Amino acid sequence: RNIFKVKKSSAEKSNKMGKEEKFFRETFMYDKEINVISTATAECSVPSQRRVDLPVTAGEQLDVIDVTEGSAVICRNSEGRYGYVLVEHLNFR
């Protein structure tokens, strides 16, 4: 029985991540292939000001997807959500 629960939850998680990716592509008009350039750790907790900003918590691991003009990068968190994060809030070590 536990095996079926694990499969169901992983299927739900991949479905949610697919929805997040679709939302990201539509909102950011992103048509490139999604590749992880680097990983970074959030140095401090930052709530999102806009829907396109990714809220982060201190110590959270993020995948850097793309570099933008200015001081923000596009990141993805462990839940599959995408958004802008300011470089000054990230540690790339």
Side-chain angles (χ1 to χ4, degrees):
R1 289 185 173 206
N2 291 341
I3 294 170
F4 296 117
K5 288 182 181 177
V6 171
K7 286 184 179 179
K8 183 179 178 185
S9 66
S10 65
E12 288 173 358
K13 185 175 181 180
S14 67
N15 188 23
K16 182 180 183 216
M17 290 184 101
K19 287 181 181 178
E20 289 290 344
E21 182 178 331
K22 183 180 177 191
F23 177 81
F24 162 70
R25 288 187 178 282
E26 290 172 356
T27 305
F28 288 75
M29 292 178 263
Y30 196 85
D31 57 358
K32 297 185 261 180
E33 186 175 338
I34 296 175
N35 291 320
V36 177
I37 298 170
S38 178
T39 57
T41 306
E43 290 190 329
C44 57
S45 297
V46 181
S48 65
Q49 301 295 322
R50 307 169 294 170
R51 178 61 179 115
V52 295
D53 294 333
L54 183 65
V56 295
T57 55
E60 182 179 14
Q61 286 288 114
L62 301 170
D63 294 331
V64 179
I65 305 299
D66 205 349
V67 179
T68 62
E69 298 287 325
S71 62
V73 291
I74 298 174
C75 293
R76 176 178 61 198
N77 66 10
S78 61
E79 297 172 2
R81 288 195 56 201
Y82 296 83
Y84 292 115
V85 180
L86 293 175
V87 174
E88 61 203 41
H89 300 304
L90 299 175
N91 183 353
F92 288 93
R93 279 185 248 152

